[in-house]
């Protein structure tokens, strides 16, 4: 994009952040509630894992196509189409109690989510000045993280105290607000796309799924979300087993710490790069996982939320900014799609693998096992830090 202003905050960026927040609220409140609902429908432990896995497969399959479209199409049309698709499929959940049909809807939901999350993230990249990518995507990522953290608490509360239908209609209402806000947003499409000066390359699935310049931070992001996958799939079930009714406190304190840390970590990223930030946060996330595993009362849950919010909550936008910083404006849609696919792949594989072994170990053990993923994050980030520690960080953003 030419002549991109250095100003970060404007009405379009604010509307986009709010719209994305309501989108994630609408979506994330279903994440911890659909697995136990599947159990109510009579689904097996394996089918409970499929609730997350099929969704992730759908999202991953759709992203290469939307990543390709984002190289040549205007943003607003694609964003609004994704928002409407999410509304429709969410509403359909309330019309079935058949396990197989429910799982089919979950796969379709994944397709719509892959479309929507990729277009929304790319629209944010278009609005953020390149030299402030860490700070800008940090604030945009706050809408993702807070949605991922607050919404499950709301979803759990509605599911446990009202009904599944109330949960669905609340989700649809939040998604409708998001659609209205997206409609009010003025999107900025890169000039070479808007003026049709960018060569329309033929579509290839792998070429539109993987941005080679950004593959390394995306790979580390996979391990980051693998650990989180155990939480979104099993934390409600764990709370029921332990008799901890206040499991929602984990998400509440998680959100609070992620919000407090965001302005600090975003500026840290822009000045110093991602390495030390991610290494420190991976240690906090690891500690948070073990605190959950040892929990037998809500005080442990609060402590886990604080540790995990400061750690995982700070790493999410840092990884996205790192991925985007290594590619070009034209390929940012594909890079964004790859980043979000690593999230879905990490969560999906985590749910599938841990769901398969959940019959043989206690739920607390699943959290201990998945905590190893944050050790891998630490090691892989350290290796890249050793390789690049003598290179000025700003040189990667020019």
């Amino acid at each position: 994009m030419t002549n991109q202003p250095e100003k970060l905050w404007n009405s379009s960026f604010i509307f986009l952040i709010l719209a994305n927040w309501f989108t994630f609220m609408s979506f994330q409140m279903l994440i911890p509630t659909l697995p136990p609902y599947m159990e109510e429908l009579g689904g097996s432990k394996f089918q409970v894992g499929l609730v997350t896995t099929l969704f992730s497969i759908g999202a991953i399959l759709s992203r290469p196509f939307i990543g390709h479209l984002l190289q040549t199409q205007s943003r607003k049309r694609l964003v609004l189409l994704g928002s409407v698709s999410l509304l429709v499929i969410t509403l359909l959940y309330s019309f079935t109690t058949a396990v197989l049909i429910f799982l089919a809807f979950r796969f379709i939901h994944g397709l719509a989510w892959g479309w929507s999350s990729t277009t929304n993230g790319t629209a944010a990249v278009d609005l953020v000045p390149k030299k402030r990518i860490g700070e800008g995507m940090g604030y945009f990522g706050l809408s993702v993280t807070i949605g991922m953290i607050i919404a499950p608490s709301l979803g759990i509360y509605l599911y446990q105290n009202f009904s599944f239908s109330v949960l669905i209609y609340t989700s649809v209402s939040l998604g409708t607000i998001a659609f209205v806000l997206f409609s009010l947003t003025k999107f900025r499409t890169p000039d070479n796309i808007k003026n049709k000066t960018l060569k329309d390359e033929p579509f290839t699935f792998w070429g539109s799924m993987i941005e080679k310049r950004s593959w390394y931070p995306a790979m580390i992001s996979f391990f980051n979300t693998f650990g989180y996958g155990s939480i979104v799939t099993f934390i409600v079930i764990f709370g029921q087993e332990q008799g901890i009714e206040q499991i929602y406190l984990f998400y509440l304190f998680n959100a609070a710490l992620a919000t407090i840390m965001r302005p600090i970590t975003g500026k840290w990223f822009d000045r110093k790069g991602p390495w030390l930030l991610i290494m420190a946060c991976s240690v906090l996330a690891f500690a948070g996982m073990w605190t959950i595993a040892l929990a037998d009362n809500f005080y442990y849950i609060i402590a886990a939320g604080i540790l995990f919010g400061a750690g995982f909550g700070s790493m999410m936008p840092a990884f996205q900014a790192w991925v985007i910083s290594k590619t070009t404006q034209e390929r940012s849609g594909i890079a964004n799609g790859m980043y979000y696919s690593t999230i879905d792949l990490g969560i999906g594989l985590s749910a599938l693998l841990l769901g398969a072994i959940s019959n043989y170990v206690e739920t607390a053990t699943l959290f201990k096992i998945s905590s190893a993923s944050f050790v891998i994050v630490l090691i892989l980030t350290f290796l890249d830090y050793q390789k690049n520690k003598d290179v000025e960080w700003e040189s990667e953003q020019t």
Side-chain angles (χ1 to χ4, degrees):
M1 186 180 303
T2 59
N3 301 320
Q4 187 179 31
E6 291 301 312
K7 182 179 179 182
L8 176 61
W9 292 104
N10 53 59
S11 60
S12 294
F13 190 56
I14 293 171
F15 278 138
L16 184 62
I17 288 176
L18 291 174
N20 197 61
W21 178 57
F22 278 106
T23 299
F24 269 80
M25 287 285 290
S26 172
F27 162 69
Q28 288 290 334
M29 65 189 302
L30 302 178
I31 294 294
T33 52
L34 292 184
Y37 182 69
M38 173 61 76
E39 281 192 327
E40 282 191 21
L41 294 180
S44 65
K45 288 268 191 179
F46 179 72
Q47 287 171 326
V48 169
L50 284 179
V51 169
T52 303
T53 302
L54 286 175
F55 173 88
S56 300
I57 292 172
I60 291 168
L61 289 177
S62 69
R63 287 206 172 97
F65 297 96
I66 185 58
H68 180 74
L69 288 176
L70 283 165
Q71 293 185 89
T72 57
Q73 302 295 317
S74 64
R75 306 313 193 207
K76 190 161 192 171
R77 186 186 309 114
L78 298 176
V79 169
L80 293 179
L81 182 57
S83 184
V84 169
S85 299
L86 288 176
L87 283 174
V88 172
I89 190 60
T90 300
L91 190 60
L92 287 177
Y93 282 126
S94 63
F95 293 103
T96 182
T97 57
V99 170
L100 293 181
I101 295 177
F102 192 89
L103 290 174
F105 283 169
R106 194 65 180 144
F107 174 74
I108 297 170
H109 197 178
L111 294 173
W113 179 249
W115 180 291
S116 181
S117 57
T118 304
T119 54
N120 298 351
T122 304
V125 173
D126 294 333
L127 290 172
V128 173
K130 187 70 172 176
K131 290 185 178 179
R132 299 180 70 180
I133 191 70
E135 183 183 2
M137 293 309 293
Y139 285 118
F140 177 78
L142 195 59
S143 67
V144 175
T145 306
I146 293 179
M148 290 176 69
I149 294 168
I150 292 181
S153 301
L154 176 61
I156 292 169
Y157 176 80
L158 294 175
Y159 179 71
Q160 292 179 338
N161 294 279
F162 295 92
S163 67
F164 184 71
S165 294
V166 171
L167 172 70
I168 292 299
Y169 295 142
T170 303
S171 175
V172 170
S173 298
L174 293 173
T176 301
I177 296 173
F179 178 81
V180 172
L181 290 170
F182 280 133
S183 300
L184 296 174
T185 303
K186 293 182 179 179
F187 294 87
R188 183 184 293 128
T189 302
D191 292 340
N192 51 8
I193 293 177
K194 185 168 54 179
N195 300 329
K196 300 187 182 301
T197 58
L198 184 67
K199 182 181 179 182
D200 187 7
E201 298 179 1
F203 172 78
T204 62
F205 184 83
W206 292 111
S208 298
M209 173 178 275
I210 299 173
E211 170 52 43
K212 294 180 180 179
R213 284 165 286 200
S214 303
W215 74 270
Y216 193 82
M219 176 190 65
I220 306 176
S221 179
F222 161 79
F223 291 103
N224 185 45
T225 50
F226 186 93
Y228 181 66
S230 65
I231 292 177
V232 299
T233 306
F234 295 104
I235 193 168
V236 175
I237 296 172
F238 175 73
Q240 293 170 346
E241 292 174 351
Q242 297 294 103
I244 305 174
E245 296 181 358
Q246 305 91 341
I247 205 73
Y248 65 89
L249 290 174
F250 171 83
Y251 293 105
L252 180 63
F253 281 87
N254 198 337
L257 264 293
T259 304
I260 292 170
M261 295 291 291
R262 190 53 44 81
I264 301 170
T265 56
K267 291 180 180 179
W268 182 357
F269 180 98
D270 285 331
R271 291 197 302 266
K272 302 293 184 180
W275 303 285
L276 296 178
L277 171 63
I278 289 173
M279 285 189 284
C281 289
S282 63
V283 173
L284 293 174
F286 177 85
M289 292 294 293
W290 273 83
T291 305
I292 296 173
L294 299 173
D296 57 10
N297 59 61
F298 72 91
Y299 294 110
Y300 279 87
I301 296 301
I302 292 174
I306 291 172
L307 290 168
F308 206 76
F312 180 81
S314 298
M315 282 193 288
M316 288 288 288
F319 275 117
Q320 184 173 20
W322 192 7
V323 166
I324 294 302
S325 71
K326 297 182 75 66
T327 190
T328 63
Q329 187 78 33
E330 295 75 26
R331 297 277 295 181
S332 62
I334 291 175
N336 248 318
M338 181 176 65
Y339 164 73
Y340 284 116
S341 289
T342 62
I343 295 177
D344 292 321
L345 186 62
I347 294 175
L349 283 179
S350 176
L352 184 64
L353 295 176
L354 296 177
I357 67 174
S358 63
N359 292 315
Y360 309 101
V361 299
E362 295 180 347
T363 305
T365 304
L366 299 177
F367 299 135
K368 296 175 183 177
I369 293 171
S370 59
S371 70
S373 63
F374 294 111
V375 177
I376 297 174
V377 169
L378 174 63
I379 293 171
L380 292 176
T381 305
F382 177 75
L383 292 175
D384 197 65
Y385 172 69
Q386 287 293 102
K387 181 180 177 181
N388 293 281
K389 64 181 180 180
D390 296 327
V391 179
E392 283 291 331
W393 165 242
E394 294 221 344
S395 66
E396 291 208 13
Q397 303 183 65
T398 57

